Amino acid sequence: MPDNAELLRLENLQVRFPMQSSAIDSILGRPKRVVRAVDGIDLNIARGEIVALVGESGSGKTTVGRIITKLVQPTGGRLLFDGTDMTMAHGVSGLRPYRHRVQMIFQDAYQALNPRHTVFDAVAEPLRSLGLVENHDQLTERVSESLSAAGLKPPEEFFARFPHELSGGQRQRVVVAGALGVRPELIVADEPVSMLDVSIRAQLLQALIDLREKYSLALLFITHDLPLAWLIADRIAVMYLGKVVEMGSADDITLKASHPYTLALRDATPKLHNEAGRGGVQALQGEVPSAARVPSGCRFHPRCPLAFERCRVEEPPAIAVGPQHTSACWLAK
Amino acid sequence: MSKINVLSRSRLRARAISGFLRHFIGHGGAQLGLVCLGFFLAVAAMPDTLVGPLETAITATGDFLAPPSRLHYLGTDEVGRDVLNLVVHGARISLTIALLATVISLVVGTTVGITAGYFGGLADVCLMRVTDFFFVVPSFVLALVITPVALEAMGAGGEILGFRPSLFVIIVVIGLTSWAFVARVIRSQTLSLKERTFIDRARVAGSSNTSIMLRHILPNLVPQVAANGALVVANAIYIETSLSFLGLGDPLQPSWGTLLSLAQRSGAASVGAWWYLGAPGVCVLTVSLAFVLIGNALDDTFNPRRRVIP
């Protein structure tokens, strides 16, 4: 359970990729276009807390995860981990202590495992690279322990297997075991179950929740699935086009949502017992605009059913609508 | 427990390798290539037992430019040496040069290709411009310039591992002029491999760049290296033959190219001594073809859609 000690804090974090400008553009002196993948994010995660980051594809949620795991260098803002500024930390040896504390679970488990490495090698890699074990016996012990913790039992049976000999769920468990092996304080899980069958999904989610209880592990759970976020997370942050539009406790976001985008996401989710009967799904109109052309004013206004004049001109700040519940909408109160 | 682990791991490896071999051998081209190559390797391995020591003008036994007969299966040359004897000894020289030059070419090409592809940016630009230089410079002309200079600098006396130093100059020259192609192929493959998620995972796991290149990228390049390596050998045989034909070979260690050169200078073509020109020529052709066939079969077997990972 969260003990309120802050572990990770993102302050106005930005990632902008410059776009290749055409020769004509540079002759005409047009300004260089930039892709604003992440456009000023504030987020904090306490020890042992599960925070879900929800958004459509293209909302920049994966990039946030990659910034936290230092796979992408932010172009602005700050990244604080346990009070230390890690924004500019780089280099393999410079990041080693940080890697020991922050790990990642990847979306596509088949891609995330080297086809030429056995399960043992895959799980042992971080332990070896981070210098966490002294000899081979200790390594074997830690690998077995991580595999069992991730639900692969008996672990010895999996040591010599190659990824192509495992099922999708088993592969994802190997990736989870690799992240757990170093006993991190924070795991960034990027859509860890989106590739899995529904039945295996529940098992893996339960495993993650158990691990949080056991090791008081903080988790940033990146997903596009709002009900899933509600199920697993303590708090939910909803992202749209590089920005957090609404943030609050899991119940606040699902039951008392105030941002039209969150409402739209919620209504776009099929339910088994829908008042409107079968087919009662409200689809959100249009698509996420390109991050290279962020609309003026509120970035959601072109798709928003409630948009009015002010939304086109002025960008709404995060307005507090309840304790720990903010919404970036002019109509929020 | 660890014993079981080791056992089952080797069992899995063995199964994957046997699957790979079965598919590879299933190729008609690969069979033909392997048979030809096996034959020439056997010949190159024991020339003395097959045809006796290398004949010289002094130890020559036959008539001048005698056509094939029961005594000399492939006829004789202009000083009466047995052509079969020369060709068999030439196999050893030609194959040694080609294989060692390929090793150099693969090592340099793979190193440059991985480094350029993995690091990108300035390293990529610099390394690939150097590669471009070796790619567009006619390797043959470069070899023609380097070989005599290097021979002059090193001196042609002495022996290294039973071969004269001039042989090693040719090996290095061929190696250095044929790696550019390998570097390009490896670089492009590295560019696509480094975008794979398992490289990100290795980075999050705290692995160093060297370890990522050696433990993650290199093993996945084995198919490309193997398939291209076979083609590089074929190319190296051609370059070696051409260089020797132009007189850069060592007459005391005749390769097939040297034999062709001698045949041409003795006017074998004009007097109709087809055996003298034909024997080394057919050998060069067969061995090159064998390597090309093997290379193509490897390429096909490693095709990622039906690849079995050894």
Side-chain angles (χ1 to χ4, degrees), chain A residues 38 76 95 185 214 234 275 311 327:
Chain A
V38 177
L95 283 171
E185 291 160 54
K214 202 166 155 193
D234 301 315
E275 302 85 42
C311 302
S327 172

Side-chain angles (χ1 to χ4, degrees), chain A residues 36-39 41 53-64 191 222-224 237-245 261 265 288-291 299 303:
Chain A
R36 294 194 259 169
V38 177
D39 202 10
I41 288 248
L53 199 55
V54 182
E56 284 169 283
S57 43
S59 61
K61 54 192 194 310
T62 298
T63 312
V64 172
E191 308 236 16
I222 299 171
T223 178
H224 58 266
V238 180
M239 259 187 100
Y240 183 75
L241 208 53
K243 231 172 171 146
V244 173
V245 292
Y261 180 63
L265 268 188
V288 186
S290 156
R299 53 197 62 215
R303 297 172 79 192

Side-chain angles (χ1 to χ4, degrees), chain A residues 115-190:
Chain A
R116 284 162 189 277
H117 285 192
T118 58
V119 168
F120 184 89
D121 288 335
V123 179
E125 182 176 14
L127 297 170
R128 284 189 183 126
S129 307
L130 297 170
L132 300 179
V133 284
E134 277 148 24
N135 52 47
H136 195 264
D137 289 345
Q138 218 178 345
L139 182 71
T140 317
E141 197 182 306
R142 285 283 284 266
V143 171
S144 318
E145 191 188 300
S146 321
L147 285 172
S148 322
L152 292 173
K153 290 174 201 165
E156 294 80 27
E157 286 212 351
F158 292 92
F159 279 2
R161 303 246 193 120
F162 284 94
H164 65 265
E165 299 171 312
L166 301 174
S167 71
Q170 288 172 332
R171 270 179 226 145
Q172 192 58 278
R173 282 166 191 273
V174 173
V175 175
V176 172
L180 283 177
V182 306
R183 295 176 194 152
E185 291 160 54
L186 171 68
I187 289 187
V188 175
D190 185 5

Side-chain angles (χ1 to χ4, degrees), chain A residues 66 71 92 96 99 103 106 111-118 122 125-126 129-130 140 156 159-160 162 165 178, chain B residues 1 5 8-9 12-13 15 196-198 200-208 215-216 219-220 223 309-310:
Chain A
R66 291 172 64 87
L71 289 170
V92 175
R96 225 160 245 162
R99 302 259 188 240
Q103 279 292 313
F106 293 88
Q111 288 282 315
L113 295 173
N114 189 331
R116 284 162 189 277
H117 285 192
T118 58
E125 182 176 14
S129 307
L130 297 170
T140 317
E156 294 80 27
F159 279 2
F162 284 94
E165 299 171 312
Chain B
M1 179 202 74
N5 166 28
S8 57
R9 185 189 285 208
L12 282 165
R13 279 260 149 84
R15 205 179 63 198
R196 299 270 294 270
T197 319
F198 63 78
D200 279 342
R201 185 175 170 270
R203 241 175 241 153
V204 173
S207 300
S208 65
R215 300 198 56 237
H216 286 278
N220 283 291
I309 294 145

Side-chain angles (χ1 to χ4, degrees), chain B residues 108-123:
Chain B
V108 176
T110 309
T111 313
V112 170
I114 289 192
T115 315
Y118 182 75
F119 287 109
L122 192 64

